[in-house]
Amino acid sequence: MTILHQRLYHIMMTRDGVMVPAETSVLCEGCGYTLDGLPTTGQCPECGLPIRQSLEGSGRQLPAWEDPASASRPLWRFISTTASAVFHTRHFYQTLATRRYDRSAYRFAQLHWALSASLFAAALSIHAYWFQVYQLGPKIPGGPWVFGGVMAVLAYLMLWGTTRLAGRLTAWEAAYRGLRLPLPVVLRGLYYHAAHYLPVALLGFLTVVAYYQAVRWRWLPETTGVRYLVVLCLEVVVGAGYLFKTYWTGMKSTMYANR
């Protein structure tokens, strides 16, 4: 009887039954429940969050980078937004206005892609130069400066392409699961997520430079190269986990946003 009961009342819904809430629908920012038609003075029937907090009281606003009323210079607004996105990721996305479709967020991402790509390329150039000098490896094509420039361009294109691909996959999966995360909203969140590439790139750059200088000044023997490579590999794994965690935090904090 238990098996029959489960078969009767626990049938998986088909994909045709999944409905994505419309852009005009009001969602509870606590649980995603559709609040259309309910009084704004009430509470969400699902989680009890006051409906007003999902509307004008949600606290979503433009970040410092996009604030037209700010008297700060663009550099300081860039630094302030970067610090907020990196050190207060959850709060940044919980208060980020998501329905803004200009190119401000994209320009923010471009700056961070350029900075991170330069650091990645510099680290790779120094690493290749060190390998050539101390390990008698093949010569760097075009010299370290040309090699670094080419790698910077390739790294920038990789970060841009990864962001576009991640945005489309995220929007597709959200729609598949019945979540309201249209592509422009996802890309806006990912553009600000670009700030998280900076600490990863900076850590890798500092690791390569520190090891190169330590070997150069005989503070470390050349035989420690294997340990150095292990450290770099661990940083890649930790960096990938960090980027995914901050990405998930951002998407989770914006999937029920109304504005």
Side-chain angles (χ1 to χ4, degrees), residues 6 26 36 53 57 73 75 86 95 106 116 150 153 172 174 177 192 209 211 214 216 222 234 236 253:
Q6 291 179 345
V26 178
D36 294 340
Q53 292 188 21
R73 295 182 178 182
L75 176 60
V86 172
T95 58
Y106 182 63
S116 300
V150 172
V153 173
W172 174 82
R177 296 177 179 273
Y192 281 108
V209 170
Y211 184 75
R216 180 183 179 187
E222 299 175 14
L234 289 176
V236 169
S253 299

Side-chain angles (χ1 to χ4, degrees), residues 99 119 161-162 170 186 200 216 248 250:
R99 267 61 181 178
L119 288 172
T162 300
T170 301
V186 174
V200 175
R216 180 183 179 187
W248 175 245

Side-chain angles (χ1 to χ4, degrees), residues 39-154:
T40 58
T41 56
Q43 295 178 319
C44 172
E46 188 72 18
C47 68
L49 184 73
I51 295 178
R52 190 175 299 277
Q53 292 188 21
S54 298
L55 297 173
E56 66 273 11
S58 64
R60 294 195 175 272
Q61 57 189 356
L62 297 178
W65 171 253
E66 299 182 46
D67 188 1
S70 176
S72 302
R73 295 182 178 182
L75 176 60
W76 291 113
R77 289 190 280 118
F78 176 78
I79 294 175
S80 175
T81 303
T82 299
S84 180
V86 172
F87 297 110
H88 306 284
T89 305
R90 187 180 301 277
H91 179 265
F92 175 82
Y93 280 103
Q94 286 177 341
T95 58
L96 176 66
T98 61
R99 267 61 181 178
R100 181 179 172 93
Y101 304 123
D102 60 12
R103 297 179 65 85
S104 299
Y106 182 63
R107 288 193 291 269
F108 180 85
Q110 286 179 308
L111 291 173
H112 271 288
W113 292 337
L115 287 173
S116 300
S118 299
L119 288 172
F120 282 131
L124 183 57
S125 298
I126 296 172
H127 176 83
Y129 177 77
W130 170 83
F131 188 85
Q132 173 187 323
V133 172
Y134 292 99
Q135 303 296 329
L136 300 178
K139 292 185 177 181
I140 302 175
W145 292 105
V146 175
F147 179 77
V150 172
M151 290 298 103
V153 173
L154 292 178

